[in-house]
């Protein structure tokens, strides 16, 4: 987090295989490195970083509400996805999650607009960097966000799950088949990763009981 301990919000790498222990760093211009759970790492070593607090203009090297894919050693930008923002200063504090699905890495990240975005590691957001494989309806209401870290696992029958911590009540636009009573403070919301017309989608499954700090 920018300013913590007097240090900028950035990413550093140290190459422990070389005698000089070469250090690289990436500072995302006018945006901060966000995600309370830190970074996410793909199966090929790609580093996925959620950033925010800057205008949505990659030409100015200021990355806002953006998922960056960084090369693991040099930390150069390989690709990026621009998530829609509520406002110029808004940002998402959720760490993305990466997992293998049907032979390729896919990423789920949260935008400050309260949605989850499902992304292909080979082409984050397509040619315009703004087109995900799939996006959910808003999970959150008002000024609340998905905050903390996204989680994923595959159960014994091969179903892939994604869980998101939602602060405040769940948005009425998200149609959940199973809930566990009113959750005005917050909850964990679960999705199944399923195929729809040849592409993966996030299907709402259930929400937990009310939680003060999901």
């Amino acid at each position: 987090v920018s300013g913590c301990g007097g240090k900028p919000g950035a990413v550093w790498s140290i190459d422990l295989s070389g005698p000089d222990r070469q250090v690289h760093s990436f500072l995302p211009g006018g945006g901060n490195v966000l995600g309370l759970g830190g970074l996410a790492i793909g199966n090929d070593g790609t580093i996925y970083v959620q950033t925010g607090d800057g205008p949505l203009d990659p030409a100015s090297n200021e990355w806002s509400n953006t998922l960056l894919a960084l090369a693991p050693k040099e930390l150069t930008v390989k690709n990026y996805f621009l998530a829609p923002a509520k406002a110029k200063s808004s940002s998402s504090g959720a760490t993305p999650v990466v997992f293998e699905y049907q032979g390729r890495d896919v990423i789920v990240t949260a935008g400050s607009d309260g949605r989850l975005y499902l992304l292909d590691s080979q082409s984050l957001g397509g040619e315009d960097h703004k087109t995900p494989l799939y996006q959910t309806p808003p999970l959150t209401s008002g000024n609340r966000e998905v905050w903390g870290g996204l989680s994923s696992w595959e159960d014994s029958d091969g179903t892939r799950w994604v869980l998101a911590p939602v602060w405040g009540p769940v948005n009425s636009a998200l149609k959940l088949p199973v809930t566990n009573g009113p959750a005005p403070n917050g909850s964990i919301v679960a999705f199944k990763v399923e195929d729809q017309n040849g592409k993966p989608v996030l299907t709402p499954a259930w929400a937990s009981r009310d939680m003060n700090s999901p």
Side-chain angles (χ1 to χ4, degrees):
V1 178
S2 182
C4 184
K7 305 300 181 184
V11 181
W12 286 267
S13 71
I14 304 174
D15 185 358
L16 299 178
S17 65
D20 57 353
R21 306 293 194 267
Q22 190 171 13
V23 177
H24 291 91
S25 63
F26 176 82
L27 281 76
N32 290 327
V33 173
L34 300 174
L36 299 185
L39 312 174
I41 303 176
N43 289 297
D44 63 353
T46 299
I47 309 298
Y48 295 98
V49 183
Q50 182 72 51
T51 72
D53 296 334
L56 286 171
D57 182 13
S60 67
N61 199 33
E62 295 182 346
W63 309 81
S64 177
N65 291 304
T66 302
L67 182 79
L68 297 173
L70 305 179
K73 288 187 178 181
E74 296 81 6
L75 299 180
T76 52
V77 178
K78 297 171 58 177
N79 211 330
Y80 60 92
F81 169 69
L82 297 170
K86 286 181 181 177
K88 185 175 179 179
S89 61
S90 64
S91 58
S92 172
T95 295
V97 66
V98 186
F99 52 87
E100 185 177 341
Y101 185 75
Q102 297 184 346
R104 60 177 174 176
D105 273 2
V106 295
I107 305 98
V108 179
T109 192
S112 67
D113 59 354
R115 300 175 188 268
L116 298 185
Y117 293 90
L118 182 63
L119 308 170
D120 186 344
S121 62
Q122 301 302 310
S123 178
L124 294 182
E127 293 184 359
D128 64 357
H129 302 281
K130 298 179 181 180
T131 306
L133 288 172
Y134 183 78
Q135 67 182 42
T136 68
L139 278 62
T140 60
S141 300
N143 293 322
R144 300 299 187 97
E145 296 183 7
V146 177
W147 191 264
L150 305 178
S151 303
S152 178
W153 85 94
E154 187 174 275
D155 65 22
S156 58
D157 68 2
T159 301
R160 169 63 65 174
W161 295 82
V162 172
L163 270 63
V166 175
W167 290 70
V170 173
N171 196 303
S172 61
L174 185 69
K175 305 303 180 183
L176 290 159
V178 178
T179 60
N180 286 276
N185 295 300
S187 59
I188 301 296
V189 177
F191 296 82
K192 291 181 180 180
V193 182
E194 298 180 327
D195 282 335
Q196 188 177 92
N197 299 322
K199 292 185 177 182
V201 300
L202 295 171
T203 303
W206 52 261
S208 73
R209 63 175 177 81
D210 188 44
M211 293 183 175
N212 289 329
S213 182

